Amino acid sequence: MITGFAIILDEEVLYVSNSNKYPSFEIVLFVEKLTSSLNPKNYWRLTDIYFEGETGKERMIIKHIVTENNQNLFYCITGDFPFISKEVSKLLDEYIEKVTANYETAEKIKEVSNHSEFSKVIKLITGYLWDKYRDPIEDEIIDLKCSDLENKIIYCGISAQGLPIISQLYDKTLLNNFHREITDENVELFTSSISAKLATIIMNTQIRAKTNIKEVHFNDLDDHCSKKIILCSPINDYSLDFIASGDFVRIKEIFKQLEENLSQEQILRNEFVGDLKPFRYLKTQLNEFLNNNF
């Protein structure tokens, strides 16, 4: 079942079908700030965000278009969509097709976005799609494993209430994208930036959207056949955050095992009181586990 539609251009939500879904679509803005800090060449294309909370699971499907003027245009639809479905892809394609039939460019959409006529036109389009795809979309059995993909860990961290406790950057070559020398100081600054932006995503999802972010998927156009994934999982009052690339199925298996291992740690069952020293041993455990699995 579809729960909402949106159109986003750079840092502005130009259209949202129902105001109560605005906080969910707003997460795209925070995700884009994170990816721009990792990917200055703008080759990562956001495709999916998965949420899970007390009210259930929800998937946001996204078409991320970079315009000729290097603007980021996002067409987004939320719903209880299955993980893999050609029907979901058809829905998103039809949404884009009908919007662009009326407004050919991102500039035109931006120009008319404050006009009442724009909302009326998009409402007609979304109403048609809501009716057409009213029936639940079935999942499809597809083998997702791609043995040709190299699995690579980029970042892993543990946080509490938005405060980073452990932050580890494993792909230090990312600093080369910013023409920065790979020094301990630069790595620490870069890692802190990632931690802060991840915390912003997680906290805004919990506080404003009233749910939890579980997965964020990207295609990397600069790395042939490469897919990037962000995984987040609560462990008691803490959050385990993970950025990796490669075979999603295998990466999620590794993440689940790491999550299970860490959930046994007594320190993560205690309330965080601001002292980082008792958590230091976890960094060694993280390194050993990830080095053995990547």
Side-chain angles (χ1 to χ4, degrees):
M1 182 181 72
I2 299 169
T3 56
F5 293 84
I7 301 172
I8 299 168
L9 182 63
D10 285 337
E11 298 183 2
E12 186 176 358
V13 180
L14 300 180
Y15 173 81
V16 61
S17 57
N18 38 327
S19 58
N20 65 315
K21 296 301 296 182
Y22 183 92
S24 295
F25 290 116
E26 187 183 36
I27 299 303
V28 171
L29 305 181
F30 299 118
V31 170
E32 179 56 23
K33 286 181 180 179
L34 170 64
T35 54
S36 64
S37 69
L38 295 169
N39 165 48
K41 296 179 182 178
N42 208 10
Y43 285 129
W44 291 19
R45 297 292 182 270
L46 181 59
T47 61
D48 300 90
I49 300 177
Y50 292 81
F51 302 98
E52 185 175 334
E54 293 180 0
T55 57
K57 298 180 180 180
E58 188 171 57
R59 175 187 174 193
M60 185 188 300
I61 55 174
I62 302 156
K63 179 66 174 179
H64 178 184
I65 300 167
V66 177
T67 70
E68 292 181 358
N69 296 327
N70 207 34
Q71 293 176 293
N72 291 286
L73 176 64
F74 304 91
Y75 290 93
C76 312
I77 309 175
T78 52
D80 57 350
F81 305 129
F83 179 59
I84 291 293
S85 171
K86 292 178 182 177
E87 196 75 359
V88 168
S89 298
K90 279 176 56 181
L91 164 62
L92 185 57
D93 289 342
E94 194 167 356
Y95 178 40
I96 297 166
E97 179 186 333
K98 292 188 178 302
V99 173
T100 53
N102 290 274
Y103 309 103
E104 292 183 0
T105 65
E107 289 78 10
K108 187 63 178 177
I109 294 173
K110 170 66 175 174
E111 180 187 333
V112 302
S113 60
N114 290 324
H115 300 174
S116 60
E117 187 66 25
F118 173 74
S119 294
K120 290 177 183 177
V121 170
I122 305 301
K123 191 172 183 179
L124 285 172
I125 293 170
T126 57
Y128 164 78
L129 294 173
W130 238 307
D131 189 60
K132 181 176 179 179
Y133 294 89
R134 184 179 301 276
D135 294 334
I137 297 174
E138 298 294 329
D139 205 346
E140 298 174 24
I141 300 174
I142 298 176
D143 184 5
L144 293 175
K145 291 199 174 183
C146 180
S147 57
D148 294 335
L149 293 179
E150 177 190 1
N151 295 321
K152 182 167 67 174
I153 178 69
I154 297 172
Y155 167 91
C156 186
I158 298 173
S159 61
Q161 302 167 2
L163 300 173
I165 295 173
I166 294 174
S167 303
Q168 288 281 88
L169 181 67
Y170 292 91
D171 184 6
K172 296 180 175 62
T173 63
L174 286 173
L175 273 73
N176 296 332
N177 295 333
F178 298 87
H179 307 291
R180 294 182 192 170
E181 186 180 355
I182 300 176
T183 64
D184 289 345
E185 181 181 2
N186 284 340
V187 168
E188 184 176 347
L189 288 170
F190 192 76
T191 307
S192 296
S193 174
I194 295 173
S195 302
K197 289 179 173 65
L198 277 169
T200 299
I201 294 168
I202 293 165
M203 296 302 290
N204 275 277
T205 306
Q206 292 174 344
I207 295 170
R208 290 178 55 76
K210 308 297 183 187
T211 186
N212 296 302
I213 196 159
K214 299 296 289 183
E215 301 179 21
V216 184
H217 295 193
F218 306 87
N219 289 328
D220 185 352
L221 304 186
D222 193 38
D223 190 356
H224 180 63
C225 196
S226 174
K227 295 181 181 294
K228 302 290 192 288
I229 186 169
I230 299 172
L231 296 171
C232 303
S233 181
I235 300 178
N236 302 315
D237 293 331
Y238 299 84
S239 177
L240 173 63
D241 314 320
F242 198 82
I243 306 176
S245 66
D247 176 0
F248 281 1
V249 174
R250 177 59 185 146
I251 289 169
K252 288 164 75 171
E253 288 172 352
I254 294 170
F255 182 77
K256 183 174 178 59
Q257 183 60 57
L258 177 59
E259 180 188 356
E260 290 174 355
N261 291 354
L262 290 174
S263 65
Q264 304 302 313
E265 297 295 330
Q266 182 61 45
I267 190 71
L268 297 181
R269 298 178 185 178
N270 301 333
E271 182 181 356
F272 179 61
V273 293
D275 185 5
L276 297 177
K277 290 180 182 178
F279 296 87
R280 286 177 180 170
Y281 78 97
L282 291 178
K283 183 178 288 190
T284 302
Q285 287 191 202
L286 278 179
N287 288 338
E288 288 178 356
F289 177 87
L290 294 172
N291 288 333
N292 288 335
N293 285 277
F294 284 94

